[in-house]
Structure formats: C-alpha cells, structure tokens
Amino acid sequence: MKLTGRILHLVDDPTGLRAQLAGMTLDVSEAEYVYGVNTDAMISGRACTLGYTGEILGPYFLENFQEAVDKDGVAGGGFQVVVGGHAYGSGSSREVAVVAHQGAGIELIVADSFQRIFQENMVYSGMPFTTDRGVVERLERGEDIDIEGLFDELPPFFQAVAREGGLLAYGTRLLAGEVQPTYEIEREARPMNIAEKIIASHLIGDGPSCVKPGDAVVARVDGGYSHEFTSAQVHVFLEEEFGEDYSLKDPRKFAVFEDHLIYADDVAKMRPFIDQIQTLRGLQVAFQRHTGVRDYSAKDGKSPGICHQVAREHIIEPGDFIQATDSHTCMGGASNSLAYGVGTTEYAALVHSGFTLVKVPESIRFELTGALRPGVAAKDVMLYILLHFAKPQKTLNRVMEFGGPGLASLSIDERATLANMATECTARTGVMESDDALLGWIAARRPDADLEALRAATVAPDPGAHYDGGVHTIDLATIEPMVATPGNPDEGVPSDPTNGALIRELGDVSIDIAYGGSCTAGKEDDLDMYAAVMAEARDAGLRVAEGVDFFIQFGSADVAKYAESQGYLEVFRDTGVQMIHPGCGACIGCGPGVSETSEQVTVSAINRNFQGRSGPGRLYLASPLTVAASAVTGRITAWQPGRFAKSPSTAGAP
C-alpha cells in the first residue's frame, strides 16, 4: 500500500479536526489523540438501520464526531488512513463500524491500542490495522507498506481463517472434521482463574487440559443471542455462505430478541427509517422461523425484555460459555459464566458450527471486602473502577474477575451491574464467583432447574491462579456515591459526604430528565432503589420536581410483574414517575427519556454516556438512588435513607 490519499488524525482538539476536514495538513508532533473513539461515534445507531454495505454506511462515518464532522465529511475528504489513540473501537460491538470505515475510503487504521471486539471485527471484515505508529511516518515518506506483513504477529488461528477464505468457511470445515485445530501450547498443569477454566473445559479437538493467556484455541459455545440490529445480518450472511437451507448446530440455547428498536415507531428522528427498521424486524422473524432458536419477539407491541436481562433470567447457567451480538453480553458473567459480545460475522459462524476461535484473555481480579453503606450502589463501585482502572488501561481487553467476602454482600442483581459495565472499562467481560445466593436466584426463575446440577457446574479460581492485571482489593465501605460527567463513563467524580450533594467540582447541576432503565438499571433491585427513594419522598409530601421528567423503564416483563407485586407502581404514580414497558429505550437513543436539545441535562442510570448516544444533551451517569433523588430535587443529588424525611420546605436542600 502506498499513500495516495490523506491521513486523518483524530486529535483531541476539535479545531485540529476541523482544519483537516477543510483540507489543511496538521502538525501532530505534540498532539493528544482522542481516547476510546467508540463505535457510536464511528456510526450512529440511526445510521445502522440503513443497511450493511460500505456504500450505504460510508457517508455517515464519524458524522457529528466532536461536533465537527458532517455527513460525507470523511468520505468526501479523500482520506485513506485514520490514526487514533488508545482503546480505539470501544463501546458497542456493531461490526458495521468497520464497514463504515471501508465505505468512507479508509484502507488502514493506526491506533495505540484497539478494543478487542473491534479488533476481531477488523480481522473478519478484512480491514488492515496496526499499533505501529512508525507506519504513518513511512507512508508519509512515500514507502510502499506490505499490508499483509502487518498481520504476521496475529494469533495462528486468525491466519488459518484467512487461508480457508473466511470465518464461516473455516467453521464449516472444522465442523466436518476436514481441519483440526492445532494447539502449539504448553500442556503442563497450572492453576487457572475462572475465565481460563471455562475455556479449558470447552476446548474441542486434541486440546490441552490447561490454558494460559495468549493461547489460541477453538472452543465450544453453549449459547447466545442476537437482536433486531443484528439478526438480519446473521441470517443474510448464513444464506449467502450456505444457501437457503442452512441449519444451526444446536439452537436450543440460542435466541432472538426484539428490544433495541421496540419504540422506534414513536421516535421522531427514527420515523424516516421505519421502512428499513421493518425490514430488520422481518428478517429477524425469518431467521427465527428458519432456525428454531428461542423467540423473544414483541407481543402486541410489547417486548418481553432486554436481551441481557432475559438471558440471565431464562438462559445462562454457571460454567456456560456465552456469546452474543452486543457488547453488554458480559452481564451474563454475574451468573458465573464467561459471556462476551462478538461481531455478526463471528456470531454467524459460531451459531452455525457451535464453535468459536478464542485467544485466551488476560484477567484482572477485584477482591471485594466490606459492604456498601446506605445510599451507595454497585453502579457507584463501577464508576469508581472506571475512574481508577480504565483510563490507566489496567482493564483493557482483560476479564474482570470479582470475588472476595464483599461480593457475598451484594445481591445478584447488583453483581449483574458490575458484570454489565465491564465493557465500559474496555474489558473483554466481567465474571463473578458463585455462591448459594446465585444458585437460588437462578433456580427461583427456572421451574425445571436442578440445583445440584447447577452447583456442580460452578467454577471457582484455583489457589495460586495468575492475574496479569494484578489483584486489587476494594473495600466497599469506602465507596461514595459517584457521577460520571458527560462524554465518557470513566470521567467520574465522588460525592461530598458533608452535605449529600455531589462534590463542589461538579457544582449545582440542574436537570431536565432523570432516567432509570436499560439492562444496567432495569432489574428488580434497581426498582427497589427507585421505589425506596420515591416512597420516602411521597411520605414527605414530595414528588418529581417541576420541569423534570422522570422515566423508569423495566428491564423485562418479569421485572415489571415484580414491581407491580411490590406495590411500586402506585408509589411511582403518586410521585409523578412515567413508567415505560421493557426495552432498551433511551439507552440506545430510541425511546422516551432521550434529550431533544443540546441544552437539556439528563442524569441517567444507563451504562454509557457517549456524546449523542441518548440525544444531543449533556448526560451524567449515576446510580438508581442518585437518579431518583435528583428527580425529586431537580438537580444532581446523592441520597441517603432519611434524606427526604423532613418537612417539604427543606427536603431538597443540600
């Protein structure tokens, strides 16, 4: 490859980005690059509904990035190479983000590091990439770069995939026994952590009894799922590769969900794309009927729930290896499983063959001690971890293993919050140790559950297991309520315990919207938290502040039934809360709770606050407790029991 076009440097200064788009050459010798350029910024959820090809998606590549890029801004600028910073490609697992690069004319991506799903999507989509910044200088000198040589250090199985003509073709030959995975790795016994033990127990072929980070292996997958954004692609990919009579290896623990776009018909900005969205829905129906996977489609316009929450309730079991087409698949790790998101090509291959390619990941362990104080939630723990461990890249592409006596003090739903937001740390996934509380939680939701079989399947780390990211002790009793400021979940600030409001650096932030929902914050325990705050407010004669909209959206139909059984719906109605049926909603920018203008301010319990993801306004992340308290006071406010147990005239005072 020779440089025949231009190089786009994604620098942290929007002025520098605008200058490049205007045709200028930028001096980047001392420039800071944007950290964690995410897939939402690369291609918006709205554009994802338009199609799968580069021709369609290319014009929308980086649209509105740093509020500097117009439609066709990159595609029309003659750019050939993109240069980014660390954690490039973080966020959603959408494979179309790679396709958008290609459609915009990008032939090479250079970054300091890549998020794991995005890197794999580049491999499977044929997009060259490198972390060697020296390549940029060589191109600028006029050198001809050997693109294939950039992949020499990739794991052998990636090279094997290329020789077989792609991942789908490789999986087919593997399933037929025409090729066998080769394990050129050490076979000596070694202590293993949870992720390593689950992978080792799922190996196919003549594999070792133990694995270690960096080993390239082929492993059996127990189950997974896709949704309206991705099922259509999977169906099309499989038809193109294997014909209309394709079949799946074992559809029993695979599923489709209608959750992401359930409110699209009622969202003004989505209405121009309803025809395309209906096509996606129709293709998902065709995929489900053709394959016989579990069906969680909407009934009478109502979704049975968000895929990650329902998968916890009905599908995932301890020791499972789960993969699905969404970055928050890692929420399943709360069930003592190894669960993470993949791109659509990889999912199509694994759902067809039952196998997937794995480079054994490194792990980092969080040893939890103590217990959370009243007014503090697991969301605060994750915002603390994001602040102290994500930006230094201690979690990048690693498995975050949680254990210790403090874990037992957290409910199963609160553990799910920790697992869910591992992807915000740019980690591969999160995984929890198991205990009787987890087994009882699963058994209570599965009438046919065999408690002893569940217990036998649990996985614990071996004594002496190795953690490349180290073992880090967190005393839960020291965690304060946290809020992440707009733009990124890792921009967290703790509360000021002297007055209960958030720290002085945050200031007095008035809000327009409070939102509680999403897979992260639409669980039963989250509803307990919203209800505790609003019940106390009601008893004090308070309700949602004037000028504030407070939305609560259930994570699943089961959660909605639970809330009704607990009497929460009456509490919410009495205090002015607006209730929403299950779905991804505002978290994906598709439902009530999305900001309408850039001036609006939202405090939300969702998992990520990337610019524009949930509307054009400024979005702060916080726990369900903080979100509910803020809805009552009209400004971002931490909560402790008894905060509103005073006269109505003083209840909202800091």
Side-chain angles (χ1 to χ4, degrees), residues 292-420:
V293 298
R294 296 190 189 191
D295 186 12
Y296 293 98
S297 298
K299 300 291 188 297
D300 299 322
K302 297 179 182 179
S303 171
I306 303 172
C307 52
H308 314 300
Q309 173 64 13
V310 176
R312 291 178 61 225
E313 294 168 348
H314 300 293
I315 297 176
I316 301 174
E317 298 177 350
D320 274 353
F321 186 20
I322 301 292
Q323 295 192 318
T325 58
D326 193 288
S327 59
H328 288 106
T329 304
C330 52
M331 187 174 180
S335 297
N336 189 232
S337 73
L338 183 64
Y340 55 81
V342 296
T344 47
T345 297
E346 187 170 0
Y347 185 78
L350 70 90
V351 77
H352 175 260
S353 67
F355 311 135
T356 195
L357 309 171
V358 180
K359 181 181 179 182
V360 179
E362 295 180 350
S363 290
I364 178 173
R365 182 173 170 89
F366 292 92
E367 189 80 8
L368 304 182
T369 63
L372 295 174
R373 293 179 291 107
V376 184
K379 181 65 165 285
D380 300 307
V381 179
M382 279 310 296
L383 293 180
Y384 173 89
I385 291 174
L386 276 155
L387 176 64
H388 294 286
F389 293 90
K391 211 58 171 285
Q393 299 186 70
K394 294 180 180 179
T395 52
L396 179 64
N397 293 331
R398 287 176 169 149
V399 173
M400 298 171 66
E401 181 179 293
F402 291 87
L407 183 65
S409 72
L410 297 177
S411 71
I412 307 308
D413 277 353
E414 285 283 78
R415 298 178 203 181
T417 298
L418 299 182
N420 177 282

Side-chain angles (χ1 to χ4, degrees), residues 8-11 13-22 26 62 65-69 79:
L8 178 62
H9 296 270
L10 301 184
V11 293
D13 179 8
T15 304
L17 182 58
R18 293 190 185 97
Q20 294 176 82
L21 294 169
L26 194 67
L62 290 179
F65 180 64
Q66 292 188 314
E67 300 181 349
V69 184
F79 294 101

Side-chain angles (χ1 to χ4, degrees), residues 436-456:
D436 285 345
L438 170 64
L439 302 181
W441 187 93
I442 295 173
R445 288 157 178 79
R446 318 267 176 93
D448 56 348
D450 183 334
L451 192 59
E452 290 310 310
L454 291 173
R455 181 172 286 107

Side-chain angles (χ1 to χ4, degrees), residues 520-555:
T520 314
K523 308 181 297 298
E524 291 181 5
D525 280 15
D526 301 315
L527 270 293
D528 291 342
M529 287 186 258
Y530 302 129
V533 176
M534 300 313 293
E536 185 180 280
R538 182 181 64 174
D539 292 344
L542 299 172
R543 65 195 322 274
V544 174
E546 185 176 354
V548 173
D549 287 315
F550 184 15
F551 302 94
I552 294 179
Q553 188 163 24
F554 303 113

Side-chain angles (χ1 to χ4, degrees), residues 134-447:
V135 169
V136 177
E137 297 177 2
R138 291 166 56 195
L139 285 169
E140 291 176 330
R141 290 197 300 265
E143 289 187 30
D144 190 354
I145 301 296
D146 176 14
I147 290 295
E148 291 188 6
L150 298 177
F151 299 104
D152 287 346
E153 296 184 5
L154 287 175
F157 61 83
F158 279 139
Q159 298 178 28
V161 166
R163 284 195 297 271
E164 294 297 332
L167 189 60
L168 292 171
Y170 178 82
T172 300
R173 295 200 65 196
L174 188 68
L175 187 62
E178 296 173 3
V179 296
Q180 287 292 324
T182 58
Y183 300 103
E184 297 178 358
I185 56 182
E186 296 178 8
R187 297 170 183 268
E188 293 183 7
R190 60 184 294 273
M192 293 188 290
N193 55 48
I194 293 177
E196 291 165 350
K197 291 179 78 170
I198 292 177
I199 293 172
S201 70
H202 285 71
L203 296 181
I204 67 167
D206 185 19
S209 58
C210 294
V211 296
K212 67 179 186 305
D215 288 345
V217 300
V218 179
R220 172 178 50 84
V221 178
D222 294 304
Y225 46 90
S226 55
H227 50 70
E228 317 99 301
F229 265 126
T230 54
S231 296
Q233 292 171 274
V234 173
H235 182 54
V236 170
F237 289 170
L238 289 172
E239 277 196 337
E240 289 177 346
E241 184 70 27
F242 306 113
E244 294 183 357
D245 60 346
Y246 76 86
S247 61
L248 305 187
K249 174 69 173 177
D250 185 355
R252 288 175 296 178
K253 285 186 71 170
F254 290 90
V256 295
F257 287 87
E258 192 172 351
D259 56 0
H260 278 58
L261 299 172
I262 191 68
Y263 285 95
D265 302 55
D266 301 321
V267 179
K269 71 174 184 177
M270 302 300 289
R271 287 177 191 143
F273 309 101
I274 290 301
D275 288 345
Q276 293 95 322
I277 291 171
Q278 194 56 45
T279 297
L280 296 179
R281 291 169 174 162
L283 285 170
Q284 173 159 284
V285 170
F287 174 65
Q288 190 280 324
R289 290 176 177 172
H290 180 85
T291 60
V293 298
R294 296 190 189 191
D295 186 12
Y296 293 98
S297 298
K299 300 291 188 297
D300 299 322
K302 297 179 182 179
S303 171
I306 303 172
C307 52
H308 314 300
Q309 173 64 13
V310 176
R312 291 178 61 225
E313 294 168 348
H314 300 293
I315 297 176
I316 301 174
E317 298 177 350
D320 274 353
F321 186 20
I322 301 292
Q323 295 192 318
T325 58
D326 193 288
S327 59
H328 288 106
T329 304
C330 52
M331 187 174 180
S335 297
N336 189 232
S337 73
L338 183 64
Y340 55 81
V342 296
T344 47
T345 297
E346 187 170 0
Y347 185 78
L350 70 90
V351 77
H352 175 260
S353 67
F355 311 135
T356 195
L357 309 171
V358 180
K359 181 181 179 182
V360 179
E362 295 180 350
S363 290
I364 178 173
R365 182 173 170 89
F366 292 92
E367 189 80 8
L368 304 182
T369 63
L372 295 174
R373 293 179 291 107
V376 184
K379 181 65 165 285
D380 300 307
V381 179
M382 279 310 296
L383 293 180
Y384 173 89
I385 291 174
L386 276 155
L387 176 64
H388 294 286
F389 293 90
K391 211 58 171 285
Q393 299 186 70
K394 294 180 180 179
T395 52
L396 179 64
N397 293 331
R398 287 176 169 149
V399 173
M400 298 171 66
E401 181 179 293
F402 291 87
L407 183 65
S409 72
L410 297 177
S411 71
I412 307 308
D413 277 353
E414 285 283 78
R415 298 178 203 181
T417 298
L418 299 182
N420 177 282
M421 291 190 65
T423 189
E424 271 64 60
C425 296
T426 65
R428 179 177 290 248
T429 187
V431 61
M432 310 286 139
E433 291 184 338
S434 179
D435 58 14
D436 285 345
L438 170 64
L439 302 181
W441 187 93
I442 295 173
R445 288 157 178 79
R446 318 267 176 93

